[in-house]
Amino acid sequence: MTQPAQMKQTAAAAPEKHKYAVAKVSEIAPGSHKLVEAGGRSIGVYNVGGQFYALRNICPHQGAELCKGLTKPLVVSSGPGHFAYEREGEIVRCPWHQWEFDIKTGCMIVDPATRTMSYEVTVEMFGVSVEEGSVIVRM
């Protein structure tokens, strides 16, 4: 009796991500964002408390320019007539139909399975001052 042939499994190498220097750190103050072009895509780069996040500038609902929407806190409620704000500056609201997305993950607030593309962002230093750094988007 012959034994079944062993299948050789090789891990496919992950495609190398391209790096795009899209702004100086000083150009995107905490609590603000900037629309940029990277790799032929419109991207919104957000500074949330000193951390940078990047979202594709397309709402998955009907294609609106998502990053032209308002950046707001998350509104939560403990019951009728009571509400509070959390996560200031972490939610972007689509300008067309008010769908809300988490800037940190790209996920829709009411249905996390619906999301817009998010990208890895790093700040690469070119000296001792953070103002001399550049915001880098990897896609």
Side-chain angles (χ1 to χ4, degrees), residues 65-127:
E65 291 186 82
L66 177 62
C67 301
K68 288 189 175 180
L70 298 174
T71 303
K72 295 291 188 183
L74 180 65
V75 179
V76 295
S77 175
S78 60
H82 301 284
F83 67 92
Y85 298 109
E86 296 179 354
R87 302 177 55 203
E88 182 69 43
E90 294 183 21
I91 309 301
V92 62
R93 185 180 298 157
C94 177
W96 285 3
H97 301 106
Q98 312 311 304
W99 285 27
E100 294 180 322
F101 294 86
D102 185 327
I103 290 169
K104 293 182 175 182
T105 65
C107 292
M108 186 178 182
I109 296 300
V110 297
D111 180 10
T114 301
R115 62 188 312 250
T116 189
M117 190 68 189
S118 61
Y119 301 98
E120 175 186 349
V121 178
T122 61
V123 176
E124 293 193 359
M125 302 304 296
F126 297 102

Short mmCIF file of all heavy atoms in Angstrom, two decimals, residues 65-127:
data_model
loop_
_atom_site.label_atom_id
_atom_site.label_comp_id
_atom_site.label_asym_id
_atom_site.label_seq_id
_atom_site.Cartn_x
_atom_site.Cartn_y
_atom_site.Cartn_z
N GLU A 65 -17.71 61.08 -0.77
CA GLU A 65 -16.38 61.36 -0.25
C GLU A 65 -16.47 61.38 1.28
O GLU A 65 -16.70 62.43 1.89
CB GLU A 65 -15.84 62.67 -0.81
CG GLU A 65 -15.53 62.59 -2.29
CD GLU A 65 -14.87 63.85 -2.80
OE1 GLU A 65 -13.64 63.98 -2.62
OE2 GLU A 65 -15.61 64.70 -3.34
N LEU A 66 -16.26 60.23 1.88
CA LEU A 66 -16.45 60.04 3.31
C LEU A 66 -15.67 61.04 4.15
O LEU A 66 -16.18 61.59 5.13
CB LEU A 66 -16.04 58.61 3.69
CG LEU A 66 -16.10 58.25 5.17
CD1 LEU A 66 -17.54 58.35 5.69
CD2 LEU A 66 -15.55 56.85 5.39
N CYS A 67 -14.42 61.28 3.79
CA CYS A 67 -13.55 62.11 4.63
C CYS A 67 -13.86 63.60 4.53
O CYS A 67 -13.22 64.41 5.21
CB CYS A 67 -12.09 61.82 4.30
SG CYS A 67 -11.67 60.08 4.58
N LYS A 68 -14.84 63.97 3.72
CA LYS A 68 -15.31 65.35 3.70
C LYS A 68 -16.46 65.54 4.68
O LYS A 68 -16.98 66.64 4.83
CB LYS A 68 -15.74 65.76 2.28
CG LYS A 68 -14.54 65.94 1.36
CD LYS A 68 -14.94 66.54 0.04
CE LYS A 68 -13.71 66.81 -0.82
NZ LYS A 68 -14.07 67.41 -2.11
N GLY A 69 -16.83 64.46 5.37
CA GLY A 69 -17.88 64.53 6.38
C GLY A 69 -17.35 65.08 7.69
O GLY A 69 -16.14 65.27 7.87
N LEU A 70 -18.25 65.32 8.61
CA LEU A 70 -17.89 65.86 9.92
C LEU A 70 -17.21 64.80 10.77
O LEU A 70 -17.56 63.63 10.73
CB LEU A 70 -19.14 66.36 10.64
CG LEU A 70 -19.90 67.51 9.98
CD1 LEU A 70 -21.19 67.79 10.74
CD2 LEU A 70 -19.03 68.74 9.91
N THR A 71 -16.23 65.24 11.56
CA THR A 71 -15.58 64.38 12.54
C THR A 71 -16.21 64.70 13.88
O THR A 71 -16.18 65.85 14.33
CB THR A 71 -14.06 64.64 12.56
OG1 THR A 71 -13.56 64.43 11.25
CG2 THR A 71 -13.36 63.70 13.52
N LYS A 72 -16.79 63.69 14.51
CA LYS A 72 -17.60 63.90 15.72
C LYS A 72 -17.24 62.88 16.79
O LYS A 72 -16.63 61.87 16.51
CB LYS A 72 -19.10 63.74 15.37
CG LYS A 72 -19.62 64.79 14.42
CD LYS A 72 -19.65 66.11 15.13
CE LYS A 72 -20.34 67.17 14.33
NZ LYS A 72 -20.31 68.45 14.98
N PRO A 73 -17.74 63.11 18.03
CA PRO A 73 -17.61 62.07 19.06
C PRO A 73 -18.71 61.02 18.87
O PRO A 73 -19.67 61.24 18.12
CB PRO A 73 -17.82 62.84 20.36
CG PRO A 73 -18.67 63.99 19.98
CD PRO A 73 -18.28 64.34 18.56
N LEU A 74 -18.56 59.91 19.55
CA LEU A 74 -19.60 58.88 19.58
C LEU A 74 -20.64 59.30 20.61
O LEU A 74 -20.29 59.67 21.73
CB LEU A 74 -18.98 57.53 19.96
CG LEU A 74 -19.93 56.35 20.04
CD1 LEU A 74 -20.51 56.04 18.66
CD2 LEU A 74 -19.20 55.14 20.58
N VAL A 75 -21.91 59.26 20.24
CA VAL A 75 -23.00 59.58 21.17
C VAL A 75 -23.51 58.27 21.75
O VAL A 75 -23.87 57.35 21.01
CB VAL A 75 -24.14 60.34 20.46
CG1 VAL A 75 -25.28 60.64 21.44
CG2 VAL A 75 -23.62 61.62 19.83
N VAL A 76 -23.52 58.17 23.08
CA VAL A 76 -24.01 56.97 23.76
C VAL A 76 -25.15 57.36 24.69
O VAL A 76 -25.26 58.52 25.10
CB VAL A 76 -22.88 56.27 24.56
CG1 VAL A 76 -21.80 55.75 23.62
CG2 VAL A 76 -22.28 57.19 25.59
N SER A 77 -25.98 56.37 25.03
CA SER A 77 -27.13 56.64 25.89
C SER A 77 -27.29 55.52 26.91
O SER A 77 -27.19 54.34 26.57
CB SER A 77 -28.40 56.76 25.05
OG SER A 77 -29.53 56.91 25.88
N SER A 78 -27.60 55.92 28.14
CA SER A 78 -27.90 54.94 29.18
C SER A 78 -29.40 54.72 29.30
O SER A 78 -29.85 53.89 30.09
CB SER A 78 -27.32 55.40 30.52
OG SER A 78 -27.89 56.64 30.89
N GLY A 79 -30.18 55.47 28.53
CA GLY A 79 -31.63 55.34 28.57
C GLY A 79 -32.28 56.57 27.96
O GLY A 79 -31.60 57.54 27.61
N PRO A 80 -33.61 56.53 27.83
CA PRO A 80 -34.33 57.66 27.23
C PRO A 80 -34.02 58.97 27.95
O PRO A 80 -33.99 59.04 29.17
CB PRO A 80 -35.80 57.27 27.40
CG PRO A 80 -35.79 55.78 27.52
CD PRO A 80 -34.51 55.45 28.23
N GLY A 81 -33.74 59.99 27.16
CA GLY A 81 -33.49 61.32 27.71
C GLY A 81 -32.08 61.53 28.23
O GLY A 81 -31.75 62.62 28.69
N HIS A 82 -31.23 60.52 28.16
CA HIS A 82 -29.86 60.63 28.66
C HIS A 82 -28.89 60.30 27.52
O HIS A 82 -29.07 59.29 26.83
CB HIS A 82 -29.61 59.67 29.82
CG HIS A 82 -30.51 59.89 30.98
ND1 HIS A 82 -30.34 60.93 31.86
CD2 HIS A 82 -31.61 59.21 31.40
CE1 HIS A 82 -31.28 60.89 32.77
NE2 HIS A 82 -32.08 59.86 32.52
N PHE A 83 -27.92 61.16 27.36
CA PHE A 83 -26.90 60.86 26.37
C PHE A 83 -25.57 61.47 26.82
O PHE A 83 -25.54 62.37 27.65
CB PHE A 83 -27.28 61.35 24.97
CG PHE A 83 -27.34 62.84 24.85
CD1 PHE A 83 -26.22 63.56 24.45
CD2 PHE A 83 -28.50 63.54 25.13
CE1 PHE A 83 -26.26 64.95 24.33
CE2 PHE A 83 -28.55 64.92 25.02
CZ PHE A 83 -27.43 65.63 24.63
N ALA A 84 -24.51 60.94 26.27
CA ALA A 84 -23.17 61.43 26.59
C ALA A 84 -22.30 61.28 25.35
O ALA A 84 -22.62 60.51 24.43
CB ALA A 84 -22.58 60.64 27.76
N TYR A 85 -21.21 62.01 25.33
CA TYR A 85 -20.27 61.94 24.23
C TYR A 85 -19.03 61.19 24.68
O TYR A 85 -18.51 61.43 25.77
CB TYR A 85 -19.86 63.34 23.77
CG TYR A 85 -21.01 64.16 23.24
CD1 TYR A 85 -21.49 65.25 23.97
CD2 TYR A 85 -21.61 63.86 22.03
CE1 TYR A 85 -22.54 66.01 23.49
CE2 TYR A 85 -22.66 64.61 21.54
CZ TYR A 85 -23.13 65.69 22.27
OH TYR A 85 -24.17 66.44 21.81
N GLU A 86 -18.56 60.29 23.84
CA GLU A 86 -17.34 59.53 24.09
C GLU A 86 -16.50 59.55 22.82
O GLU A 86 -17.00 59.80 21.74
CB GLU A 86 -17.65 58.07 24.45
CG GLU A 86 -18.41 57.89 25.73
CD GLU A 86 -18.71 56.42 26.03
OE1 GLU A 86 -18.44 55.55 25.18
OE2 GLU A 86 -19.24 56.15 27.13
N ARG A 87 -15.21 59.25 22.98
CA ARG A 87 -14.31 59.09 21.84
C ARG A 87 -14.30 60.32 20.92
O ARG A 87 -14.47 60.22 19.71
CB ARG A 87 -14.66 57.82 21.07
CG ARG A 87 -14.60 56.58 21.94
CD ARG A 87 -15.01 55.31 21.24
NE ARG A 87 -14.21 55.13 20.05
CZ ARG A 87 -14.57 54.39 19.02
NH1 ARG A 87 -15.71 53.75 19.03
NH2 ARG A 87 -13.80 54.27 17.97
N GLU A 88 -14.09 61.47 21.52
CA GLU A 88 -14.06 62.74 20.79
C GLU A 88 -13.12 62.66 19.59
O GLU A 88 -11.98 62.25 19.72
CB GLU A 88 -13.62 63.87 21.73
CG GLU A 88 -13.61 65.24 21.09
CD GLU A 88 -14.99 65.76 20.77
OE1 GLU A 88 -15.89 65.62 21.61
OE2 GLU A 88 -15.17 66.32 19.67
N GLY A 89 -13.62 63.04 18.43
CA GLY A 89 -12.79 63.10 17.22
C GLY A 89 -12.46 61.77 16.60
O GLY A 89 -11.61 61.70 15.71
N GLU A 90 -13.12 60.69 17.00
CA GLU A 90 -12.81 59.36 16.47
C GLU A 90 -13.83 58.83 15.48
O GLU A 90 -13.69 57.73 14.97
CB GLU A 90 -12.67 58.35 17.62
CG GLU A 90 -11.50 58.63 18.53
CD GLU A 90 -11.34 57.58 19.62
OE1 GLU A 90 -11.85 56.45 19.45
OE2 GLU A 90 -10.71 57.89 20.62
N ILE A 91 -14.87 59.61 15.21
CA ILE A 91 -15.95 59.15 14.34
C ILE A 91 -16.09 60.13 13.17
O ILE A 91 -16.15 61.33 13.37
CB ILE A 91 -17.30 59.09 15.10
CG1 ILE A 91 -17.16 58.31 16.42
CG2 ILE A 91 -18.41 58.54 14.22
CD1 ILE A 91 -16.70 56.88 16.28
N VAL A 92 -16.13 59.59 11.95
CA VAL A 92 -16.38 60.44 10.78
C VAL A 92 -17.78 60.08 10.25
O VAL A 92 -18.15 58.91 10.18
CB VAL A 92 -15.29 60.29 9.69
CG1 VAL A 92 -15.21 58.89 9.13
CG2 VAL A 92 -15.51 61.31 8.57
N ARG A 93 -18.53 61.11 9.93
CA ARG A 93 -19.91 60.95 9.47
C ARG A 93 -19.99 61.26 7.98
O ARG A 93 -19.61 62.35 7.55
CB ARG A 93 -20.82 61.89 10.26
CG ARG A 93 -22.29 61.72 9.96
CD ARG A 93 -23.14 62.67 10.75
NE ARG A 93 -22.99 62.43 12.18
CZ ARG A 93 -23.24 63.35 13.11
NH1 ARG A 93 -23.63 64.55 12.78
NH2 ARG A 93 -23.10 63.04 14.37
N CYS A 94 -20.50 60.33 7.21
CA CYS A 94 -20.64 60.53 5.76
C CYS A 94 -21.50 61.75 5.49
O CYS A 94 -22.57 61.91 6.07
CB CYS A 94 -21.26 59.29 5.12
SG CYS A 94 -21.53 59.50 3.35
N PRO A 95 -21.05 62.62 4.58
CA PRO A 95 -21.81 63.85 4.31
C PRO A 95 -23.13 63.62 3.57
O PRO A 95 -24.00 64.50 3.61
CB PRO A 95 -20.85 64.69 3.47
CG PRO A 95 -19.93 63.71 2.84
CD PRO A 95 -19.81 62.58 3.82
N TRP A 96 -23.32 62.47 2.94
CA TRP A 96 -24.55 62.26 2.20
C TRP A 96 -25.68 61.70 3.05
O TRP A 96 -26.78 62.22 3.04
CB TRP A 96 -24.32 61.31 1.03
CG TRP A 96 -23.59 61.91 -0.13
CD1 TRP A 96 -23.07 63.18 -0.24
CD2 TRP A 96 -23.29 61.27 -1.36
NE1 TRP A 96 -22.46 63.34 -1.44
CE2 TRP A 96 -22.58 62.18 -2.16
CE3 TRP A 96 -23.55 60.00 -1.87
CZ2 TRP A 96 -22.13 61.87 -3.44
CZ3 TRP A 96 -23.09 59.69 -3.13
CH2 TRP A 96 -22.39 60.62 -3.92
N HIS A 97 -25.44 60.61 3.77
CA HIS A 97 -26.52 59.93 4.49
C HIS A 97 -26.22 59.73 5.96
O HIS A 97 -26.91 58.96 6.63
CB HIS A 97 -26.85 58.58 3.82
CG HIS A 97 -27.27 58.74 2.39
ND1 HIS A 97 -26.45 58.41 1.33
CD2 HIS A 97 -28.40 59.24 1.86
CE1 HIS A 97 -27.07 58.67 0.20
NE2 HIS A 97 -28.26 59.18 0.49
N GLN A 98 -25.18 60.38 6.47
CA GLN A 98 -24.85 60.39 7.90
C GLN A 98 -24.41 59.04 8.46
O GLN A 98 -24.45 58.84 9.67
CB GLN A 98 -26.01 60.96 8.72
CG GLN A 98 -26.60 62.26 8.21
CD GLN A 98 -25.57 63.33 7.90
OE1 GLN A 98 -24.79 63.68 8.77
NE2 GLN A 98 -25.56 63.84 6.70
N TRP A 99 -23.99 58.10 7.62
CA TRP A 99 -23.44 56.85 8.15
C TRP A 99 -22.16 57.20 8.90
O TRP A 99 -21.35 58.01 8.43
CB TRP A 99 -23.14 55.88 7.02
CG TRP A 99 -24.34 55.21 6.42
CD1 TRP A 99 -25.62 55.69 6.37
CD2 TRP A 99 -24.37 53.95 5.77
NE1 TRP A 99 -26.43 54.81 5.72
CE2 TRP A 99 -25.68 53.72 5.33
CE3 TRP A 99 -23.40 53.00 5.49
CZ2 TRP A 99 -26.07 52.58 4.66
CZ3 TRP A 99 -23.77 51.85 4.80
CH2 TRP A 99 -25.09 51.65 4.41
N GLU A 100 -21.95 56.59 10.06
CA GLU A 100 -20.80 56.91 10.90
C GLU A 100 -19.79 55.77 10.92
O GLU A 100 -20.17 54.60 11.04
CB GLU A 100 -21.26 57.22 12.33
CG GLU A 100 -22.09 58.49 12.41
CD GLU A 100 -22.55 58.79 13.82
OE1 GLU A 100 -22.88 57.85 14.56
OE2 GLU A 100 -22.57 59.98 14.17
N PHE A 101 -18.50 56.15 10.83
CA PHE A 101 -17.42 55.17 10.78
C PHE A 101 -16.36 55.50 11.82
O PHE A 101 -16.06 56.67 12.07
CB PHE A 101 -16.78 55.16 9.39
CG PHE A 101 -17.71 54.65 8.33
CD1 PHE A 101 -18.60 55.52 7.71
CD2 PHE A 101 -17.73 53.32 7.97
CE1 PHE A 101 -19.49 55.07 6.75
CE2 PHE A 101 -18.61 52.85 7.02
CZ PHE A 101 -19.49 53.72 6.40
N ASP A 102 -15.80 54.45 12.42
CA ASP A 102 -14.72 54.57 13.38
C ASP A 102 -13.43 54.87 12.62
O ASP A 102 -13.01 54.06 11.77
CB ASP A 102 -14.60 53.25 14.16
CG ASP A 102 -13.58 53.29 15.26
OD1 ASP A 102 -12.55 53.99 15.13
OD2 ASP A 102 -13.79 52.59 16.26
N ILE A 103 -12.81 55.99 12.88
CA ILE A 103 -11.59 56.39 12.17
C ILE A 103 -10.46 55.40 12.44
O ILE A 103 -9.64 55.14 11.56
CB ILE A 103 -11.20 57.82 12.57
CG1 ILE A 103 -12.21 58.82 12.00
CG2 ILE A 103 -9.77 58.16 12.13
CD1 ILE A 103 -12.08 60.23 12.52
N LYS A 104 -10.42 54.81 13.63
CA LYS A 104 -9.33 53.90 13.98
C LYS A 104 -9.40 52.55 13.27
O LYS A 104 -8.39 51.92 13.02
CB LYS A 104 -9.28 53.68 15.49
CG LYS A 104 -8.90 54.94 16.26
CD LYS A 104 -8.83 54.66 17.74
CE LYS A 104 -8.34 55.87 18.50
NZ LYS A 104 -8.23 55.59 19.94
N THR A 105 -10.62 52.10 12.92
CA THR A 105 -10.77 50.78 12.32
C THR A 105 -11.38 50.79 10.92
O THR A 105 -11.26 49.80 10.20
CB THR A 105 -11.68 49.89 13.20
OG1 THR A 105 -13.00 50.44 13.21
CG2 THR A 105 -11.14 49.76 14.61
N GLY A 106 -12.07 51.87 10.57
CA GLY A 106 -12.78 51.92 9.30
C GLY A 106 -14.16 51.28 9.36
O GLY A 106 -14.90 51.30 8.39
N CYS A 107 -14.54 50.70 10.51
CA CYS A 107 -15.82 50.00 10.65
C CYS A 107 -16.97 50.97 10.88
O CYS A 107 -16.82 51.96 11.60
CB CYS A 107 -15.76 49.01 11.81
SG CYS A 107 -14.65 47.63 11.53
N MET A 108 -18.12 50.61 10.32
CA MET A 108 -19.33 51.39 10.56
C MET A 108 -19.74 51.20 12.02
O MET A 108 -19.64 50.10 12.56
CB MET A 108 -20.44 50.91 9.62
CG MET A 108 -21.69 51.72 9.68
SD MET A 108 -22.89 51.10 8.50
CE MET A 108 -24.20 52.27 8.77
N ILE A 109 -20.24 52.24 12.65
CA ILE A 109 -20.58 52.19 14.07
C ILE A 109 -21.72 51.21 14.34
O ILE A 109 -21.63 50.39 15.24
CB ILE A 109 -20.93 53.60 14.61
CG1 ILE A 109 -19.71 54.52 14.52
CG2 ILE A 109 -21.47 53.53 16.03
CD1 ILE A 109 -18.50 54.05 15.29
N VAL A 110 -22.80 51.26 13.57
CA VAL A 110 -23.96 50.41 13.87
C VAL A 110 -23.86 49.01 13.26
O VAL A 110 -24.60 48.13 13.64
CB VAL A 110 -25.30 51.08 13.44
CG1 VAL A 110 -25.52 52.36 14.21
CG2 VAL A 110 -25.34 51.32 11.95
N ASP A 111 -22.95 48.81 12.32
CA ASP A 111 -22.76 47.49 11.70
C ASP A 111 -21.28 47.31 11.38
O ASP A 111 -20.84 47.61 10.27
CB ASP A 111 -23.60 47.38 10.43
CG ASP A 111 -23.43 46.03 9.74
OD1 ASP A 111 -22.83 45.11 10.34
OD2 ASP A 111 -23.91 45.90 8.59
N PRO A 112 -20.48 46.84 12.34
CA PRO A 112 -19.03 46.73 12.14
C PRO A 112 -18.62 45.85 10.96
O PRO A 112 -17.49 45.94 10.50
CB PRO A 112 -18.54 46.13 13.46
CG PRO A 112 -19.57 46.52 14.46
CD PRO A 112 -20.87 46.51 13.70
N ALA A 113 -19.53 45.03 10.43
CA ALA A 113 -19.19 44.22 9.26
C ALA A 113 -19.08 45.09 8.00
O ALA A 113 -18.43 44.72 7.04
CB ALA A 113 -20.24 43.13 9.04
N THR A 114 -19.73 46.26 8.04
CA THR A 114 -19.63 47.21 6.93
C THR A 114 -18.50 48.16 7.25
O THR A 114 -18.45 48.75 8.32
CB THR A 114 -20.94 48.00 6.78
OG1 THR A 114 -22.01 47.08 6.55
CG2 THR A 114 -20.86 49.00 5.63
N ARG A 115 -17.56 48.25 6.32
CA ARG A 115 -16.40 49.10 6.62
C ARG A 115 -15.86 49.72 5.34
O ARG A 115 -16.13 49.28 4.24
CB ARG A 115 -15.32 48.31 7.33
CG ARG A 115 -14.74 47.15 6.57
CD ARG A 115 -13.81 46.31 7.43
NE ARG A 115 -12.86 47.11 8.15
CZ ARG A 115 -11.56 47.14 7.90
NH1 ARG A 115 -11.06 46.44 6.93
NH2 ARG A 115 -10.77 47.88 8.62
N THR A 116 -15.09 50.77 5.55
CA THR A 116 -14.32 51.37 4.47
C THR A 116 -12.89 50.91 4.66
O THR A 116 -12.51 50.45 5.74
CB THR A 116 -14.45 52.91 4.46
OG1 THR A 116 -13.86 53.42 3.27
CG2 THR A 116 -13.82 53.53 5.68
N MET A 117 -12.10 51.00 3.64
CA MET A 117 -10.71 50.55 3.74
C MET A 117 -9.92 51.45 4.67
O MET A 117 -10.04 52.66 4.61
CB MET A 117 -10.09 50.57 2.33
CG MET A 117 -8.77 49.91 2.23
SD MET A 117 -8.95 48.15 2.48
CE MET A 117 -7.25 47.69 2.58
N SER A 118 -9.13 50.85 5.55
CA SER A 118 -8.23 51.62 6.39
C SER A 118 -6.80 51.18 6.06
O SER A 118 -6.58 50.09 5.54
CB SER A 118 -8.53 51.42 7.88
OG SER A 118 -8.39 50.07 8.24
N TYR A 119 -5.85 52.04 6.35
CA TYR A 119 -4.46 51.78 5.98
C TYR A 119 -3.54 51.99 7.17
O TYR A 119 -3.82 52.81 8.04
CB TYR A 119 -4.03 52.73 4.84
CG TYR A 119 -4.88 52.60 3.61
CD1 TYR A 119 -5.92 53.49 3.36
CD2 TYR A 119 -4.65 51.59 2.69
CE1 TYR A 119 -6.71 53.37 2.23
CE2 TYR A 119 -5.44 51.46 1.56
CZ TYR A 119 -6.46 52.36 1.34
OH TYR A 119 -7.25 52.24 0.22
N GLU A 120 -2.45 51.26 7.16
CA GLU A 120 -1.42 51.41 8.19
C GLU A 120 -0.73 52.75 8.01
O GLU A 120 -0.40 53.15 6.90
CB GLU A 120 -0.40 50.28 8.03
CG GLU A 120 0.77 50.37 8.95
CD GLU A 120 1.83 49.32 8.64
OE1 GLU A 120 1.57 48.39 7.85
OE2 GLU A 120 2.92 49.45 9.17
N VAL A 121 -0.51 53.46 9.11
CA VAL A 121 0.15 54.76 9.06
C VAL A 121 1.28 54.77 10.07
O VAL A 121 1.13 54.31 11.19
CB VAL A 121 -0.84 55.91 9.41
CG1 VAL A 121 -0.14 57.25 9.40
CG2 VAL A 121 -2.00 55.92 8.43
N THR A 122 2.42 55.28 9.66
CA THR A 122 3.54 55.44 10.58
C THR A 122 4.11 56.84 10.44
O THR A 122 3.89 57.51 9.43
CB THR A 122 4.67 54.43 10.28
OG1 THR A 122 5.15 54.66 8.97
CG2 THR A 122 4.20 53.01 10.42
N VAL A 123 4.81 57.27 11.46
CA VAL A 123 5.53 58.54 11.40
C VAL A 123 7.01 58.18 11.38
O VAL A 123 7.51 57.56 12.31
CB VAL A 123 5.21 59.44 12.60
CG1 VAL A 123 6.05 60.71 12.54
CG2 VAL A 123 3.73 59.78 12.62
N GLU A 124 7.66 58.51 10.29
CA GLU A 124 9.08 58.22 10.18
C GLU A 124 9.85 59.49 10.52
O GLU A 124 9.56 60.56 10.00
CB GLU A 124 9.43 57.73 8.78
CG GLU A 124 8.82 56.38 8.51
CD GLU A 124 9.38 55.71 7.29
OE1 GLU A 124 10.24 56.29 6.61
OE2 GLU A 124 8.94 54.59 7.01
N MET A 125 10.82 59.34 11.40
CA MET A 125 11.57 60.48 11.89
C MET A 125 12.80 60.74 11.03
O MET A 125 13.48 59.81 10.62
CB MET A 125 12.02 60.23 13.33
CG MET A 125 10.86 59.96 14.29
SD MET A 125 9.63 61.26 14.33
CE MET A 125 10.60 62.58 14.98
N PHE A 126 13.07 62.00 10.76
CA PHE A 126 14.24 62.41 10.00
C PHE A 126 15.02 63.44 10.80
O PHE A 126 15.42 64.45 10.30
CB PHE A 126 13.83 62.99 8.64
CG PHE A 126 13.14 61.99 7.77
CD1 PHE A 126 11.77 62.02 7.62
CD2 PHE A 126 13.85 61.01 7.11
CE1 PHE A 126 11.12 61.11 6.82
CE2 PHE A 126 13.22 60.09 6.30
CZ PHE A 126 11.85 60.13 6.16
N GLY A 127 15.22 63.21 12.05
CA GLY A 127 15.91 64.14 12.92
C GLY A 127 15.40 64.00 14.33
O GLY A 127 14.75 63.01 14.65
#
